[in-house]
Amino acid sequence: MGVWKLNSGGIPPIISKLEVDSLERAEFEMKVKTATELVKEINLLLSIATHSSDFQTVSTRLDAANEKTIELQKIAAEEPRITLTNFGAAEKLAEKARDMLVKLQYDRKNDAALWCYHARFYLKTPREHLLNHGLMMRCSESDLPIIGDLVGGAWHHALPTFKEMGVDILEFSRGSVASDMGSIPADGGFYMDFLLEFRAIVESGIEIPEMVIMVDALCASRPDFGYVKERHDNALTILKRAHVDVSNFIKKSPPKKQERF
């Protein structure tokens, strides 16, 4: 840093550095304050957009949120000490707002919407739902096909990207979804692979003893599949949580020998 010059001819470098640091700190704190206010405004705009059924309101609030997000990103680009690491709340609100805008757009045009099927990632979910996860269809809601038992998945509006909507804003990841393994990637990740193979075993019609052996083998086939067994203790518990009736198998199983000391 350069030494500030005064009419007296100058000041010691150490004093000059303290002065400059103080000025930089003030500027930095101002940028932090501005960024904080922008985050609040963006969340508020997106919140309004998600709770409105008026096309114009949703559209204008998304546009305003876009402008303020660009401003926020500019501040972060200019100041490396400000890092935008958590878009959690804005991500959820933006996705809801986009969903609302898409629905309103199609309602306005009275046109067929684009739909995507989302399976629920649970041990009890029939394989038919898992196989149709990600299926896309363009049709009216009344023309959507019924898949399985109606509890293993559901149709949702397929959300376009911000770019597809003509909005120049940072794209958010699709995030995660709930499952009986906890939070997992929205595409199912490794658990989708496990569930497809597991449900093939469950729905094969084989006897419970053989089913237990095959589930044990499945859990041992991949390290990440082993996590499922660790979470549920054993193959029998996994089957019970998949709503498989194992009562007869448990009754026929010999009691464990008690160790004597």
Side-chain angles (χ1 to χ4, degrees), residues 102 106 112-119 129-140 143-145 147 154-161 164 174:
V102 171
Y106 283 120
L114 181 63
W115 300 84
C116 182
Y117 192 75
H118 294 262
H129 295 281
L130 300 168
L131 290 171
N132 282 289
H133 181 72
L135 175 65
M136 307 287 285
M137 292 195 69
R138 186 178 292 280
C139 62
S140 63
D143 290 333
L144 287 170
I147 296 178
W155 289 99
H156 297 277
H157 278 107
L159 301 177
T161 62
E164 290 170 338
R174 293 299 181 185

Side-chain angles (χ1 to χ4, degrees), residues 177-197:
V177 294
S179 77
D180 43 19
M181 277 295 287
S183 181
I184 60 173
D187 62 0
F190 86 89
Y191 199 44
M192 168 65 97
D193 297 337
F194 176 86
L195 288 176
L196 285 170
E197 295 193 44

Side-chain angles (χ1 to χ4, degrees), residues 54-113:
D54 177 69
F55 177 87
Q56 192 64 27
T57 299
V58 176
S59 180
T60 54
R61 296 308 187 277
L62 271 178
D63 286 344
N66 169 49
E67 292 177 4
K68 292 188 180 298
T69 300
I70 293 173
E71 187 178 347
L72 178 62
Q73 290 173 318
K74 184 179 178 181
I75 292 174
E78 294 174 348
E79 177 49 72
R81 288 174 292 182
I82 296 178
T83 306
L84 305 178
T85 58
N86 184 13
F87 273 87
E91 177 181 354
K92 292 178 182 179
L93 289 171
E95 192 160 341
K96 287 182 181 179
R98 284 193 296 174
D99 194 12
M100 176 64 74
L101 188 58
V102 171
K103 184 178 185 303
L104 291 172
Q105 283 176 323
Y106 283 120
D107 287 347
R108 249 180 137 205
K109 296 177 181 178
N110 195 27
D111 197 2

Side-chain angles (χ1 to χ4, degrees), residues 174-231:
R174 293 299 181 185
S176 58
V177 294
S179 77
D180 43 19
M181 277 295 287
S183 181
I184 60 173
D187 62 0
F190 86 89
Y191 199 44
M192 168 65 97
D193 297 337
F194 176 86
L195 288 176
L196 285 170
E197 295 193 44
F198 172 73
R199 291 304 307 183
I201 295 171
V202 170
E203 297 170 26
S204 65
I206 60 177
E207 296 296 324
I208 299 299
E210 187 179 354
M211 199 178 290
V212 170
I213 293 172
M214 292 186 69
V215 172
D216 268 327
L218 174 61
C219 291
S221 65
R222 281 174 45 174
D224 46 7
F225 285 5
Y227 298 149
V228 182
K229 189 173 181 180
E230 289 178 13
R231 186 176 183 88

